[in-house]
Amino acid sequence: MADKRTSLLLPKKQGLTRRGALKGLGAAAGIMAAPGFVRYAQTQSSEPIRIGFQAHRTGIGAAYGRWYERVTMAATQAINDAGGINGRPLEIVTEDDGTDPKRGAEVVEKFANQHKTDVVFGTLFSHVVVGSAPAAGELKIPYYVVSEGYHVASGSLNRYVFQPGITDVKAQVRAVGPWIADNLGKKITLVFPDYAFGHDHRDKFPERYEAAGGQVVGLVPIPPTETSFTRYFPQIPSETEVIYHVMVGPGVLTFVKELGEFYGSSGPKLFGFLDSLEAVDIASPGLEFLEGSHFWEAMPRYLQPDASDAAKAYRAAVGIDDNGASVNDPKDVSTASHMFGCWETLHIIKQAMEAAGYQGPADRAKLVEATEALTSFAAGAAHPQGDKVFNAKIHQSFGHQHVSQVVDGKLNVVHTTSIEDGMYEAEADYTTMPL
């Protein structure tokens, strides 16, 4: 399909230098602009910083992709309203990767060779990241993913790949594992998608859970494109006290409904990663059995009583209401526990580019080194999810996690982990790899 280029090139605020002065309204052929679109003066010093946004517009990641794109455009507007990057506007160039690894690699190549973007950004699904990363390394184009998988932190990719704006599965499960053992049960069965993201849960969860006195009694992998799940449930051992579920994709609503039908009100306790219900209304008919169950969340879907001003401003900017749905359509539920990573990652790219004095593709190596020089991010407007610690060796950030309980059809945070709860020793060091 033809590519779609989207630009948000907004004027700087009053009193800025002449190079940022308004040149009038307009857009190049083929560029779609948001209402209020205004181009910066097109002198050499004000050419846009161009970010290649690798979007899951189609395929099993489409619901995430839709919200990733909305947050990306909102963050772009916020950055441009504040003066851009190094005094230059930020422009987003979007390509659909179909949530497909092969197509993902082709998209990275297209960004580097055809669109000439400065960096590539935004990928979520782990198999697409793994399939795309080699192209980024070969083309020496920085690749900032918003994925959660352990594939970046594992050291299995390359020096041009970063995951600085969202925590990874290994940190998440290490943080919540002891809480599950202490509060829900000591015998657990994992139900997970049978690809890299699910394997991260399978491989990384048991250590901390078992150290807290728990035992993994069952593992139930399910193909990622599956649309019916009842036949898998008999594989769950009868001694299971807790079912840990982390299904994703278009069949998640069917999954949770069928799980409820299978067990009724007498089944094991449930602990889910909200991936199972991202973009799904928890108050949907058939999900009543989730009442009282618990979920991991990275950023709460429902506005919490103690929400920070930065979190409230972020929610307003990306257009979600107090229930975490679109302000324009209460049935359009967000992917709140993941999409904030796009906002934070774009602000990290801005921070690193400004530290590097980034001017263009010739400075990509400097940008890699500047990103590696970052150590932490303070909670605030650029980081509404909370403060984070960045480990340059593994190109990965560590942050807070939340355990939320379904009460009256809504998610209420009942426990927030410390950053230290999820931290682990680096098993690799990207900074030793050649640029």
Side-chain angles (χ1 to χ4, degrees):
M1 62 182 291
D3 72 281
K4 175 184 176 182
R5 181 193 293 175
T6 310
S7 297
L8 280 175
L9 307 178
L10 304 174
K12 296 184 185 178
K13 298 186 182 296
Q14 185 177 4
L16 297 176
T17 61
R18 185 175 182 275
R19 68 178 182 173
L22 175 64
K23 200 70 175 178
L25 296 173
I31 298 180
M32 296 185 65
F37 167 92
V38 183
R39 288 193 68 86
Y40 280 67
Q42 289 303 295
T43 64
Q44 183 177 1
S45 62
S46 65
E47 281 295 318
I49 296 289
R50 306 183 74 229
I51 305 290
F53 175 44
Q54 186 178 356
H56 301 333
R57 280 183 169 162
T58 55
I60 63 173
Y64 287 93
R66 181 176 70 253
W67 280 99
Y68 267 41
E69 190 161 0
R70 292 174 184 175
V71 174
T72 293
M73 300 316 296
T76 298
Q77 175 136 9
I79 289 170
N80 283 339
D81 282 347
I85 298 176
N86 285 329
R88 297 162 60 187
L90 174 59
E91 177 183 344
I92 302 297
V93 183
T94 302
E95 287 277 357
D96 177 22
D97 64 16
T99 327
D100 175 78
K102 181 177 182 294
R103 190 164 164 185
E106 294 169 353
V107 164
V108 171
E109 293 172 2
K110 192 171 184 180
F111 282 137
N113 296 326
Q114 179 177 327
H115 294 304
K116 308 294 185 184
T117 64
D118 293 280
V119 302
V120 182
F121 151 86
T123 325
L124 168 62
F125 271 61
S126 56
H127 62 309
V128 182
V129 173
V130 172
S132 304
E138 292 166 7
L139 295 164
K140 298 186 181 300
I141 185 168
Y143 186 35
Y144 294 84
V145 303
V146 189
S147 174
E148 284 192 313
Y150 180 61
H151 34 276
V152 177
S154 71
S156 64
L157 302 181
N158 60 74
R159 193 171 178 182
Y160 282 83
V161 185
F162 292 87
Q163 189 162 254
I166 192 168
T167 60
D168 72 310
V169 167
K170 183 173 181 177
Q172 293 163 4
V173 301
R174 284 178 64 83
V176 301
W179 187 93
I180 297 172
D182 291 341
N183 293 275
L184 300 184
K186 300 295 188 182
K187 294 183 178 181
I188 199 165
T189 290
L190 277 59
V191 182
F192 57 93
D194 195 11
Y195 63 93
F197 173 70
H199 298 167
D200 282 346
H201 286 266
R202 175 197 67 191
D203 298 339
K204 309 305 178 187
F205 175 79
E207 179 184 358
R208 285 295 289 273
Y209 179 73
E210 292 172 355
Q215 178 186 2
V216 176
V217 296
L219 298 171
V220 183
I222 297 180
T225 55
E226 186 62 86
T227 57
S228 181
F229 307 91
T230 302
R231 68 178 181 273
Y232 295 95
F233 299 147
Q235 298 177 31
I236 298 172
S238 59
E239 68 265 35
T240 298
E241 296 173 353
V242 186
I243 294 175
Y244 174 113
H245 58 101
V246 64
M247 295 304 299
V248 294
V252 292
L253 185 56
T254 302
F255 169 78
V256 291
K257 283 184 175 180
E258 290 182 355
L259 188 64
E261 292 167 357
F262 184 82
Y263 281 109
S265 60
S266 60
K269 293 181 180 179
L270 300 176
F271 185 92
F273 266 59
L274 203 69
D275 308 65
S276 295
L277 288 175
E278 287 281 58
V280 175
D281 186 355
I282 293 176
S284 298
L287 299 187
E288 294 84 2
F289 79 100
L290 290 176
E291 185 71 16
S293 69
H294 293 82
F295 285 89
W296 161 90
E297 291 189 281
M299 190 166 192
R301 175 187 296 184
Y302 293 86
L303 183 67
Q304 300 297 303
D306 60 350
S308 67
D309 290 342
K312 293 175 183 177
Y314 157 80
R315 294 173 73 97
V318 303
I320 59 173
D321 63 19
D322 289 358
N323 294 324
S326 169
V327 294
N328 298 316
D329 181 1
K331 295 181 179 180
D332 186 6
V333 178
S334 71
T335 58
S337 269
H338 297 80
M339 67 193 200
F340 72 88
C342 294
W343 180 282
E344 298 207 11
T345 302
L346 280 177
H347 282 87
I348 290 167
I349 292 172
K350 167 183 166 67
Q351 182 178 349
M353 283 186 167
E354 292 178 344
Y358 183 88
Q359 295 299 311
D363 292 333
R364 284 173 177 160
K366 289 173 60 179
L367 177 58
V368 168
E369 293 176 323
T371 307
E372 291 172 342
L374 300 173
T375 58
S376 63
F377 309 110
H383 301 282
Q385 191 267 349
D387 53 321
K388 294 176 178 64
V389 172
F390 181 67
N391 187 325
K393 289 184 176 181
I394 53 176
H395 289 188
Q396 177 64 55
S397 278
F398 295 87
H400 302 277
Q401 316 298 333
H402 304 287
V403 176
S404 297
Q405 185 176 28
V406 181
V407 179
D408 295 331
K410 294 185 177 183
L411 287 158
N412 295 332
V413 174
V414 296
H415 175 69
T416 298
T417 72
S418 70
I419 294 176
E420 292 73 20
D421 287 339
M423 293 185 76
Y424 54 81
E425 292 295 325
E427 298 177 342
D429 189 351
Y430 284 117
T431 66
T432 64
M433 296 180 180
L435 285 166

